Amino acid sequence: MAEVETKALPPLKRLLLRLVHPAKGKIWTEADLAEVKGMVRFLKVFVMTILLPGIVLAFVGVRTIQSDSTSMRSELREKADVAIEATRDQINSLFSSFEQRTLERIASGQSTVDSIGELSQHLRVAFVIDSSGDLIAPFEPPVARPSGEHDLLFSETWREAQLKYMDGDFGAAARLYRKASYELRGDFAQGNTSWSRALSLLNAGNVQQATQMLQAITEDLYDVRNAHGFRFGDLARLRLAELEMEQREQIGVNSLISLSDDLLDQKWTIGLGGEAAVCVRALDLLDGLADTTWLSAQRSRLERRTSELFWAEQAHDSISTALESTTTLEEGLFAYTRTGRILWASTITSERTLLFAFDLDTIEAETLLVAATATERTPEVKLTVLAPQYRFVGEAISRAPLAEALSGWDLVSHTGEISDLVRKHKQTRRLKEVMIATPLILLISGAFISLRLVGRELEIASMKSDFAANVSHDLRSPITQIRLKGEFLQLGLAEEDELQSHYDIIVRESERLSRLVDNVLDFSSIESGKKRYRVRPADITETVRVAVEAARFSMETRGIEMEVNLAEGLPVIIHEPEAIQQVLQNLISNAAKYGEPGGWIGISAKLGHNTVEIAVSDRGIGISDEDLPQIFEKFFRSDSDIAQRQKGTGIGLTIVQYIMEAHHGAVRVKSSLGHGTTFTLHFPIRAPIASGL
Ligand code: ADP
């Protein structure tokens, strides 16, 4: 048994079903062809007005979103390029301004090794090399350790003198040192013995002799160095100045001033820090005695020269490598080469080669700083400075050589933190997606709905044409019968015993005719919305009884048994008895039409749950599950051969449902194919009286 409420099978589905299972329906009927043509017409309109614009919209939308992400990438790239360019410009200008200043100095004949900080803050030391490749400024090339140390070590007198000195016997020590100076040869020995003798004399309290000794050293052994690289001349001058200070301070101060000036003006030797150390000591002694501005200027000069000396020592070994880069160099141009953490810049003049050693560490630090400043306002872009030995790991936006001077060094740009730009682009993208998706969804659902509506309209149109044919057929048949029988009687052709049967046929057919006319008229007023019912509280059992009695005669002549079972004492129901009788007549007539010939119809009325239920049952052909949802649709008639054998218009059940709804009731159907059908009318017991009914 299947039970359903009214619901129509979509026309498209039905059409497709027929196409897939041609056996299921007569696809090539006129009506189906009209339906197909209608569909094709609709599809044309659909494609032109909905599908094509939809596709164009989707295409444009997708392209806009795509071009959006490309534009974001190119925007990022643009920003990265700007940052890279800015950084490169600054680093390049760092070198170009160095080159320019250097060339200016060369042109004006100024020294290129003094005040190198003015040429570039990254410059640590500069060298001047002559045409034969020898270092000529600002330092002397490194020298071998002083010779003669052995002589001293093997001299017994020297050792003895040292022991005396250590014992505090300075007089004896002074004598022994003098003896040793006679015994030993060579500057180193002379310097050491003279210096030690002078100190011994001083300690022995013989200041005058010591002073003479020290003066002699400054005259004869000035440049001789001790084992620590100190020149005896410098040491002697320092000591003399100290002695002078004890007697007449100003003389001592003047001596110290001229000592420090001399030391700072002289050319120092790479690897030997004696001059620097003596200068430090001299300036320390002048603390509080000399002019402070002069003192601090002197100290910073000393610091610069000491640092240069340190760097010269670091760089000296790779001078030859730096020189190699100048072999094909033209005057006024610079070549750059790298050794360790030193970046060499070299240029040539007519007779000299100038070498400049830059500190790579500070250049790198400055580059990083410049890169960070260049990307300060674009946090979405970051720059990485890549030294030649490194590889960039990650996704780079762009990459460019850092500077001509720093060959092999690259600047790599990559995305930084998830920035406003990326977030903004994501938001716009989402917004665009929604803006494109919404009309598309509306378009598709609109298309779907209109497809259904059009399908439905097409179906109704085809049903209407069936309906017109069916009505005229249904009208013709009883009219023909009545006319035939009437003429028969009029002409007196009927036998006496046949008379009753002719009268019965005339009555039955005219009832059928009037029911048909009632249905058609009712249907048209229902359709136009003009149908009104005059409801009133009335005895529903009586209404059913009248309907049954009206049908009884017709049923009996057709040999149909009517089993009527009406419960006693049913409540009064607000209804229009004539309308409900029409409902019952339609159901009984259907039960007779689709029931077994000479069959049975059951009519019952009973109390349900808050309702009165009136059922009309038959044991006829039943209704298929496929048809069941559609039987209340207007003009619907089953396609099954067995149902088609009966005449009909397809509006009977539509009227039944309409009348029941107007009474705030419902009609339900239970059916089993081949076994029978039961229609049940449900009346609410306390139905409100709706206005307009
Ligand atoms: P019709 O004029 O075709 O009878 P109806 O609206 O009264 O129109 O019925 C619609 C269709 O429902 C019928 O064509 C028939 O297929 C089916 N139907 C209605 N009542 C019965 C019934 N008692 N038994 C089987 N089929 C029925």
Side-chain angles (χ1 to χ4, degrees):
M1 278 274 192
E3 185 174 354
V4 289
E5 300 285 323
T6 57
K7 208 173 165 210
L9 197 70
L12 254 183
K13 198 170 163 194
R14 206 150 57 81
L15 195 69
L16 285 172
L17 245 164
R18 284 186 188 177
L19 285 167
V20 178
H21 303 289
K24 277 211 156 189
K26 291 149 271 173
I27 178 75
W28 299 120
T29 64
E30 286 288 316
D32 286 338
L33 274 179
E35 205 166 305
V36 171
K37 276 185 189 162
M39 280 293 174
V40 170
R41 214 174 312 132
F42 169 75
L43 278 175
K44 275 190 208 160
V45 176
F46 172 75
V47 168
M48 295 307 289
T49 59
I50 294 174
L51 198 63
L52 268 180
I55 291 170
V56 171
L57 182 68
F59 177 76
V60 171
V62 170
R63 287 309 296 260
T64 329
I65 290 169
Q66 273 177 349
S67 79
D68 245 25
S69 71
T70 346
S71 89
M72 194 197 84
R73 248 175 282 139
S74 63
E75 201 177 324
L76 261 182
R77 217 204 137 94
E78 227 168 76
K79 289 187 176 186
D81 288 350
V82 169
I84 283 186
E85 238 9 81
T87 311
R88 277 161 48 109
D89 278 357
Q90 280 215 43
I91 302 303
N92 272 323
S93 79
L94 194 135
F95 290 102
S96 60
S97 61
F98 151 75
E99 289 176 9
Q100 197 187 328
R101 284 175 203 153
T102 308
L103 292 175
E104 277 165 15
R105 278 202 191 181
I106 294 170
S108 63
Q110 274 176 279
S111 158
T112 54
V113 292
D114 288 340
S115 313
I116 51 171
E118 287 165 14
L119 297 176
S120 165
Q121 53 166 332
H122 300 293
L123 207 53
R124 293 292 168 262
V125 65
F127 299 108
V128 181
I129 312 284
D130 67 10
S131 49
S132 50
D134 293 331
L135 174 63
I136 49 174
F139 301 108
E140 294 289 352
V143 287
R145 281 177 70 82
S147 60
E149 232 170 315
H150 285 279
D151 297 347
L152 283 184
L153 284 174
F154 290 108
S155 154
E156 222 158 280
T157 322
W158 169 259
R159 280 213 309 275
E160 234 175 283
Q162 279 186 315
L163 285 175
K164 288 282 176 219
Y165 191 89
M166 273 186 274
D167 287 345
D169 188 353
F170 299 113
R175 279 191 297 279
L176 283 166
Y177 279 130
R178 193 172 60 164
K179 189 175 171 224
S181 76
Y182 294 141
E183 289 169 9
L184 295 165
R185 294 270 161 270
D187 286 346
F188 183 74
Q190 289 308 310
N192 275 290
T193 47
S194 306
W195 172 247
S196 300
R197 190 176 155 212
L199 292 187
S200 305
L201 287 169
L202 265 180
N203 283 321
N206 195 344
V207 178
Q208 201 189 347
Q209 244 191 324
T211 308
Q212 282 170 7
M213 196 70 238
L214 289 170
Q215 271 162 355
I217 290 173
T218 60
E219 279 153 25
D220 307 328
L221 297 161
Y222 199 104
D223 288 331
V224 178
R225 291 179 188 272
N226 69 9
H228 304 290
F230 285 79
R231 289 190 300 192
F232 286 113
D234 295 334
L235 292 173
R237 276 179 78 183
L238 188 67
R239 200 70 193 89
L240 279 169
E242 281 173 344
L243 288 174
E244 281 162 5
M245 294 246 286
E246 283 163 21
Q247 321 234 304
R248 286 180 61 196
E249 194 178 74
Q250 198 47 49
I251 295 179
V253 167
N254 288 343
S255 300
L256 286 173
I257 288 174
S258 73
L259 173 62
S260 72
D261 275 342
D262 288 350
L263 285 170
L264 287 172
D265 288 343
Q266 281 160 10
K267 231 202 261 183
W268 297 353
T269 305
I270 294 172
L272 297 175
E275 287 88 325
V278 172
C279 193
V280 170
R281 174 74 183 146
L283 293 177
D284 282 353
L285 286 172
L286 286 169
D287 249 341
L289 299 173
D291 176 58
T292 46
T293 332
W294 175 87
L295 204 56
S296 75
Q298 208 71 344
R299 278 211 166 99
S300 53
R301 207 174 147 209
L302 168 66
E303 205 175 298
R304 267 202 313 276
R305 292 220 58 197
T306 315
S307 146
E308 282 172 24
L309 185 71
F310 166 80
W311 277 91
E313 210 175 331
Q314 309 297 310
H316 182 260
D317 286 347
S318 47
I319 283 180
S320 52
T321 316
L323 278 175
E324 276 169 29
S325 67
T326 61
T327 44
T328 55
L329 203 61
E330 284 172 34
E331 256 181 71
L333 294 181
F334 285 78
Y336 290 87
T337 180
R338 198 165 53 90
T339 62
R341 297 305 294 166
I342 293 172
L343 174 73
W344 290 99
S346 13
T347 188
I348 52 166
T349 63
S350 46
E351 68 271 6
R352 307 227 150 131
T353 304
L354 309 176
L355 298 180
F356 302 86
F358 287 91
D359 182 352
L360 257 184
D361 287 333
T362 60
I363 291 178
E364 193 173 351
E366 179 167 347
T367 313
L368 285 173
L369 200 74
V370 170
T373 318
T375 54
E376 215 168 37
R377 281 166 212 275
T378 53
E380 60 270 31
V381 175
K382 285 256 169 301
L383 294 186
T384 294
V385 179
L386 213 60
Q389 66 269 35
Y390 295 110
R391 213 161 47 86
F392 182 73
V393 186
E395 207 186 318
I397 301 173
S398 55
R399 186 181 181 135
L402 174 58
E404 276 169 51
L406 290 161
S407 83
W409 287 61
D410 277 347
L411 263 179
V412 181
S413 62
H414 50 97
T415 41
E417 61 211 58
I418 284 299
S419 59
D420 282 351
L421 179 82
V422 176
R423 215 174 306 130
K424 201 179 80 199
H425 270 277
K426 273 194 179 154
Q427 270 172 6
T428 348
R429 192 193 163 122
R430 216 164 296 139
L431 193 76
K432 280 190 179 161
E433 278 169 358
V434 171
M435 276 167 63
I436 290 156
T438 315
L440 269 179
I441 291 169
L442 287 176
L443 246 158
I444 291 165
S445 34
F448 183 72
I449 291 167
S450 44
L451 213 65
R452 283 195 72 131
L453 286 178
V454 168
R456 178 97 195 94
E457 285 308 311
L458 282 170
E459 190 180 43
I460 288 173
S462 103
M463 280 175 161
K464 260 185 186 161
S465 73
D466 286 355
F467 170 71
N470 288 341
V471 168
S472 49
H473 186 273
D474 257 19
L475 279 173
R476 200 176 303 127
S477 151
I479 289 171
T480 316
Q481 287 278 350
I482 293 166
R483 197 175 149 192
L484 205 72
K485 296 298 170 188
E487 283 174 358
F488 213 69
L489 291 170
Q490 195 184 36
L491 296 171
L493 292 173
E495 298 286 331
E496 190 69 30
D497 57 335
E498 288 172 350
L499 278 177
Q500 190 56 42
S501 132
H502 290 313
Y503 294 140
D504 288 350
I505 290 173
I506 291 174
V507 170
R508 198 186 67 201
E509 290 303 309
S510 52
E511 267 174 11
R512 204 174 121 193
L513 193 62
S514 77
R515 199 168 53 245
L516 179 68
V517 172
D518 277 355
N519 269 351
V520 172
L521 290 178
D522 266 17
F523 179 72
S524 82
S525 52
I526 287 169
E527 281 281 270
S528 59
K530 286 182 195 141
K531 187 68 193 169
R532 297 286 179 273
Y533 296 100
R534 290 187 311 278
V535 294
R536 53 198 179 268
D539 183 353
I540 189 78
T541 323
E542 187 52 31
T543 305
V544 177
R545 201 170 286 130
V546 172
V548 169
E549 285 318 312
R552 190 176 293 282
F553 173 71
S554 165
M555 294 301 124
E556 275 172 7
T557 57
R558 290 159 80 173
I560 293 170
E561 181 203 337
M562 280 207 295
E563 189 182 323
V564 184
N565 204 338
L566 306 178
E568 290 297 318
L570 289 178
V572 164
I573 296 290
I574 297 165
H575 68 288
E576 189 194 284
E578 295 75 23
I580 300 305
Q581 279 156 19
Q582 192 187 354
V583 166
L584 287 165
Q585 274 164 17
N586 277 338
L587 292 180
I588 293 168
S589 144
N590 275 356
K593 260 199 309 192
Y594 304 110
E596 44 179 355
W600 169 94
I601 296 175
I603 298 153
S604 69
K606 61 171 184 164
L607 200 62
H609 181 65
N610 273 339
T611 55
V612 167
E613 294 174 6
I614 297 164
V616 177
S617 312
D618 63 63
R619 292 174 185 153
I621 59 170
I623 304 166
S624 70
D625 286 352
E626 194 189 327
D627 286 347
L628 209 53
Q630 308 180 72
I631 55 170
F632 293 97
E633 296 282 310
K634 58 184 178 186
F635 311 130
F636 176 79
R637 302 211 67 226
S638 169
D639 278 342
S640 80
D641 290 344
I642 185 158
Q644 284 285 334
R645 265 182 237 146
Q646 299 298 326
K647 300 181 193 85
T649 53
I651 58 171
L653 288 180
T654 313
I655 294 170
V656 167
Q657 192 183 46
Y658 181 81
I659 294 176
M660 285 312 291
E661 278 172 5
H663 282 76
H664 301 285
V667 52
R668 303 219 169 93
V669 56
K670 280 186 181 177
S671 186
S672 166
L673 199 63
H675 291 102
T677 308
T678 297
F679 285 91
T680 310
L681 307 174
H682 296 259
F683 291 93
I685 287 177
R686 249 176 272 144
I689 303 171
S691 61
L693 280 176

